Amino acid sequence: MSLTQAPVLDSTHLILRGPELRDFDSLAAFFADPDRAWGFGGAETRPDAWRWWACNIGHWHIHGYGYFTIEDKATGAPAGICGIWNPEGWPEPELGWVVFEGFEGRGIAHEAALRARRYAYEDLGFTTLTSNILPGNTRSVALAERLGAVFEREYDNVSMGRDMLYRHPGPDAGTDTALGRDDDGSVEAYA
């Protein structure tokens, strides 16, 4: 059972849904791995991961949006998180993503980010989104650029220090990929 009012969003290989209690162990494992979690604010203890997870649930209740759990349709397993994040101190709403261990290299972050961005533009009425990426996180930079986002500026993130802000194309950009409609099963959607 979802702990938020998040809708269930469908794409070709994934379901984006609100966080459920059964998702926590996968998230805690991600946060406990310093090699994986550094680009998301660093490795944390299980209690710290619980506080972030609870914060995300509260974020949904305060803003009406937050991070979805990415569920792999083939297995039903949590494959990561993706969604819109805008806590106190953020410059503006951010499209963010994390893929859990064992799910990399399958286009999951790309597919989830396209679907979450489409939701933000079509359902929430957003006209712009950013992705805030720590310097050195080359995989997230590559994905942001693949999504059509362009580097805009560096800024001081209240939680993580120096950060790079990438601006996504808006819903009026005139491309289906701006709205996340590159989910037709073709190779470029999942590379």
Side-chain angles (χ1 to χ4, degrees):
M1 176 178 78
S2 180
L3 300 170
T4 69
Q5 77 279 23
V8 175
L9 306 179
D10 193 60
S11 68
T12 303
H13 300 100
L14 307 172
I15 296 170
L16 276 63
R17 58 169 174 75
E20 298 176 2
L21 192 56
R22 67 186 173 105
D23 303 329
F24 178 68
D25 286 337
S26 297
L27 182 72
F30 164 78
F31 272 119
D33 185 341
D35 293 332
R36 301 182 56 70
W38 77 269
F40 202 69
E44 301 182 24
T45 66
R46 189 173 173 90
D48 287 337
W50 179 269
R51 281 187 282 283
W52 185 92
W53 189 66
C55 178
N56 180 47
I57 293 166
H59 191 282
W60 272 103
H61 290 282
I62 292 166
H63 289 293
Y65 57 85
Y67 275 95
F68 292 95
T69 295
I70 304 169
E71 183 177 304
D72 179 41
K73 278 186 180 179
T75 65
I81 57 173
C82 182
I84 313 304
W85 190 243
N86 192 22
E88 178 64 29
W90 243 236
E92 56 191 286
E94 172 191 16
L95 173 62
W97 52 80
V98 163
V99 178
F100 297 152
E101 186 173 12
F103 291 95
E104 302 95 337
R106 295 172 36 190
I108 288 173
H110 182 254
E111 183 177 336
L114 283 172
R115 186 61 185 95
R117 186 169 70 185
R118 183 170 136 206
Y119 168 71
Y121 290 161
E122 290 184 349
D123 297 304
L124 298 176
F126 286 22
T127 58
T128 189
L129 286 169
T130 67
S131 286
N132 308 335
I133 303 171
L134 287 174
N137 190 345
T138 56
R139 291 179 77 177
S140 281
V141 167
L143 178 55
E145 290 175 346
R146 184 172 174 214
L147 292 165
V150 295
F151 176 77
E152 187 173 287
R153 64 185 168 92
E154 288 190 0
Y155 75 101
D156 286 323
N157 182 300
V158 297
S159 298
M160 298 187 286
R162 190 167 64 100
D163 226 349
M164 301 182 302
L165 188 144
Y166 279 76
R167 174 87 44 204
H168 287 267
D172 58 352
T175 65
D176 283 346
T177 56
L179 290 175
R181 291 201 175 120
D182 191 16
D183 60 359
D184 61 0
S186 58
V187 173
E188 76 275 7
Y190 308 103

